[in-house]
Amino acid sequence: MTGLFLGCCLQDTYGQIASSVEEESGIPVRIVNHTDCIFRQVALLSTRFGDLRPNDTTEYRRVKYNVLKDDPLIYATVDGQHVGRYVKIPEEESKQYTYVIDSLKNKVIYVSRIEIDN
């Protein structure tokens, strides 16, 4: 009976450790909207950032890029239309990245990228 209890405790502790390591892995990224548009359902490399109002900034999110699963895109919906842009993939986990949406023309998001050393 003690072995069963100890096994459950170890399994629960291991699960907590594994999930906390998973939450801390990836590259910290945020998105800034420098336009007058409301971007809905914003996503970058399949990581969802939610809605982004004019001149708003998202929280940093940890992003993982899987070349087999993710497209190197930032995409969203504006006025019911899908918009997007291919972006340079963040490479180093020792940096924080900010993608700045500078403008929107012909359903193409124009984006600049800023790297900050941690």
Side-chain angles (χ1 to χ4, degrees):
M1 187 66 141
T2 305
L4 178 62
F5 176 74
L6 183 58
C8 291
C9 290
L10 287 175
Q11 184 178 12
D12 186 49
T13 302
Y14 175 75
Q16 289 175 355
I17 291 170
S19 66
S20 68
V21 167
E22 187 174 301
E23 288 172 5
E24 291 182 14
S25 66
I27 298 171
V29 173
R30 70 178 177 174
I31 301 173
V32 176
N33 180 3
H34 275 186
T35 73
D36 293 330
C37 300
I38 297 174
F39 290 88
R40 303 224 181 264
Q41 303 170 2
V42 178
L44 175 70
L45 309 174
S46 300
T47 300
R48 296 175 190 260
F49 285 84
D51 295 346
L52 195 54
R53 302 192 63 76
N55 300 306
D56 200 4
T57 302
T58 67
E59 299 284 326
Y60 277 100
R61 301 245 171 133
R62 298 241 172 223
V63 172
K64 293 181 187 178
Y65 178 69
N66 180 337
V67 69
L68 299 175
K69 184 176 104 175
D70 301 322
D71 288 323
L73 287 169
I74 183 170
Y75 50 95
T77 304
V78 176
D79 296 329
Q81 296 187 349
H82 298 285
V83 297
R85 178 73 178 214
Y86 283 95
V87 295
K88 186 174 178 184
I89 302 164
E91 300 110 12
E92 298 180 41
E93 289 191 33
S94 64
K95 296 185 178 196
Q96 293 179 322
Y97 292 85
T98 300
Y99 287 86
V100 180
I101 300 173
D102 297 312
S103 63
L104 174 68
K105 293 179 185 162
N106 299 322
K107 298 185 187 178
V108 176
I109 301 172
Y110 289 86
V111 180
S112 54
R113 187 178 84 167
I114 301 168
E115 298 175 11
I116 301 170
D117 290 330
N118 284 338

